[in-house]
Amino acid sequence: ILSRIYNPEEFGLYSLFLAVSGSIAIISTLTYDRAIVLPKNSGDANKIALLAIFFCFITALVSLLIMIFFDDFFINYFGGYRFILFLLPLRVMQIGLQQIFDELSIRHKFYTSLSILRGSNSLIVSLVQFISRFVYKLDGLIFGRFIGDSILLIMILVIHLREKTINFKQFSYYHLAKVAKKYMLFPKFYLPQIFFNTISLNTPFILLPYFYSLEVAGLYGMAIRILEQPLRLIATSSQSVYYQKAAEMFAKEEDIYDIFFNTTKGLLQIFIIPAVLIFIFGPQLFKIFLGDNWFESGIIAQILITWLAFGFIKTPTTMTFSILSLQRVQMYGEFLLLLLRIAAIVLGYYFFESYFWSIILFVIPSIAMDIFFIVFIHNYLKNQRWKICQSKL
């Protein structure tokens, strides 16, 4: 429905806003939120959450000051829309808090509540986006996303306040400094890794409008949106359960190879049939369900589907890097991938003058790096299993 009342250029602006705000938000907590599930002691987990909240507010405030100071540049960059100067910092704070309370929810095993709220969130976002255009004739893609995600955040906050999973009385400089030092590995190595990963994933949204047009960014954004939304619900839930269980087992010095292998295998089995359907019938399916304007988006989906398949089954691999404290390897890999992805889009433009080729070249190193990460963790865990067996003997 949305694809018929909004055009590719409007989706391009929407994708650009999400890419910029998401790239800032992902580092707003200095990735301390990823450490919330690790401590055995609930008090330490609470202090980490408070530390992450503190950095989240600081990042949002700095973002606001930068937007105001360079207002002319950002207004032009976002197509002349002044409201983005103030909405983007709010979006950064919103996503940052969502990351924190998602991790708290994982720690306390609120899996059912998270799944229900995320499913409802997709419906609410789309409903607000539809009403904004169909009833009020507004470009409501950005506002719909912000309002829908704000409702999700409020509901999760209510759950945690009701269950008393967070204690703000522990907010003190001494407590924050102590846990910040203890879990310094996350901002030191995981923060650059996840920042490189986020920027490289958003590279098409940043560079495609520059080399081609906002419309091309919109076509790419629609392909990603259609393919990722259902996958994200499954992947995020699987990631939450796997991370909590594997981290708990690792803390007890238990072997986690089986849970890693079985989760990866299970995700592959889930993805293989829809991946084949998109690879064969992508353009036709997009034209039927989204309209004639989105036929080329279906072609892009055909290009992306193999990469997204590896990204989907890589979910346990990504979390295992954190559990094993191997963020340094991830950081180097993601930095190399960022450079390769930027070069891919630039080469596609200068050598072929085709955004299809830019996207194809973008996907190739992405698949190669995903395979490398999966194989690396697989072999590492097999070696760990052998060492555990030897120690028992």
Side-chain angles (χ1 to χ4, degrees):
I1 295 173
L2 293 176
S3 69
R4 286 170 167 80
I5 60 177
Y6 291 100
N7 60 47
E9 185 172 344
E10 289 169 321
F11 269 100
L13 177 63
Y14 172 57
S15 300
L16 179 60
F17 173 80
L18 294 185
V20 175
S21 59
S23 297
I24 301 171
I26 203 72
I27 62 170
S28 64
T29 63
L30 299 190
T31 65
Y32 275 114
D33 57 294
R34 298 300 179 100
I36 290 173
V37 302
L38 299 180
K40 295 180 181 179
N41 185 289
S42 295
D44 285 346
N46 181 76
K47 293 166 189 172
I48 297 171
L50 294 176
L51 177 68
I53 291 171
F54 171 75
F55 281 122
C56 178
F57 278 103
I58 293 297
T59 305
L61 178 60
V62 172
S63 300
L64 176 62
L65 295 175
I66 292 174
M67 295 290 286
I68 293 174
F69 190 76
F70 298 102
D71 58 341
D72 289 339
F73 169 79
F74 285 108
I75 290 172
N76 291 329
Y77 186 60
F78 287 103
Y81 293 97
R82 179 173 290 274
F83 73 88
I84 289 179
L85 295 179
F86 304 97
L87 191 61
L88 190 141
L90 288 174
R91 174 70 177 168
V92 168
M93 182 174 66
Q94 175 196 75
I95 299 175
L97 291 175
Q98 186 69 56
Q99 292 168 177
I100 295 165
F101 284 94
D102 277 354
E103 295 298 329
L104 272 175
S105 298
I106 292 168
R107 179 178 180 86
H108 294 282
K109 303 180 182 179
F110 297 159
Y111 303 129
T112 303
S113 298
L114 273 180
S115 297
I116 294 172
L117 289 174
R118 283 170 179 155
S120 303
N121 172 250
S122 298
L123 178 62
I124 292 170
V125 169
S126 297
L127 186 62
V128 176
Q129 290 173 333
F130 170 76
I131 293 173
S132 299
R133 169 54 59 88
F134 195 74
V135 178
Y136 297 105
K137 312 300 180 185
L138 299 173
D139 182 355
L141 287 173
I142 293 175
F143 280 109
R145 169 59 62 184
F146 181 76
I147 293 170
D149 286 353
S150 295
I151 294 172
L152 171 65
L153 176 60
I154 290 170
M155 295 180 73
I156 290 179
L157 284 172
V158 169
I159 292 173
H160 282 279
L161 290 174
R162 185 186 63 201
E163 299 295 330
K164 298 179 180 179
T165 60
I166 188 165
N167 180 10
F168 289 97
K169 292 181 180 179
Q170 290 185 322
F171 189 91
S172 70
Y173 174 79
Y174 173 75
H175 288 141
L176 299 190
K178 187 175 180 180
V179 294
K181 183 178 180 180
K182 183 176 180 179
Y183 294 93
M184 181 59 68
L185 189 66
F186 281 85
K188 187 175 181 180
F189 294 116
Y190 192 62
L191 176 64
Q193 176 266 315
I194 200 170
F195 179 69
F196 294 149
N197 175 258
T198 303
I199 292 295
S200 64
L201 286 174
N202 288 325
T203 296
F205 298 116
I206 297 170
L207 295 184
L208 289 178
Y210 178 79
F211 288 111
Y212 299 102
S213 67
L214 269 177
E215 181 180 357
V216 171
L219 293 171
Y220 176 88
M222 179 60 78
I224 286 288
R225 176 188 175 94
I226 292 296
L227 297 178
E228 275 195 341
Q229 279 221 338
L231 296 178
R232 190 180 294 121
L233 290 175
I234 301 170
T236 305
S237 299
S238 301
Q239 173 180 299
S240 302
V241 176
Y242 172 81
Y243 191 34
Q244 189 276 331
K245 181 64 176 177
E248 185 178 279
M249 292 174 63
F250 185 75
K252 296 177 182 178
E253 298 184 353
E254 296 178 10
D255 177 30
I256 64 172
Y257 174 80
D258 285 339
I259 188 175
F260 165 79
F261 182 82
N262 291 330
T263 305
T264 302
K265 180 181 176 182
L267 292 175
L268 175 61
Q269 293 171 336
I270 291 171
F271 195 88
I272 192 164
I273 293 178
V276 170
L277 290 175
I278 293 294
F279 188 78
I280 298 173
F281 303 110
Q284 292 76 17
L285 291 173
F286 272 63
K287 184 177 180 179
I288 292 170
F289 289 103
L290 303 180
D292 294 341
N293 289 339
W294 301 99
F295 182 83
E296 291 185 2
S297 189
I299 299 175
I300 295 174
Q302 285 180 310
I303 299 170
L304 297 176
I305 195 64
T306 305
W307 164 48
L308 291 177
F310 281 102
F312 184 64
I313 67 175
K314 192 188 71 171
T315 302
T317 298
T318 302
M319 306 316 297
T320 306
F321 272 107
S322 296
I323 295 170
L324 301 176
S325 299
L326 294 172
Q327 293 94 333
R328 185 194 295 262
V329 177
Q330 264 186 312
M331 181 183 69
Y332 292 145
E334 294 295 351
F335 179 68
L336 174 61
L337 184 57
L338 171 60
L339 298 179
L340 292 174
R341 282 172 166 171
I342 293 173
I345 293 178
V346 174
L347 290 174
Y349 174 76
Y350 283 108
F351 283 93
F352 301 100
E353 295 185 353
S354 165
Y355 66 85
F356 287 123
W357 272 105
S358 286
I359 296 170
I360 290 171
L361 295 175
F362 172 85
V363 164
I364 291 172
S366 304
I367 293 173
M369 190 60 69
D370 283 346
I371 293 173
F372 169 75
F373 281 147
I374 294 170
V375 172
F376 179 88
I377 288 296
H378 175 271
N379 293 339
Y380 190 94
L381 291 178
K382 284 196 74 173
N383 290 333
Q384 287 291 103
R385 164 178 278 188
W386 183 82
K387 290 179 181 178
I388 291 173
C389 291
Q390 289 294 108
S391 64
K392 291 181 178 179
L393 292 174

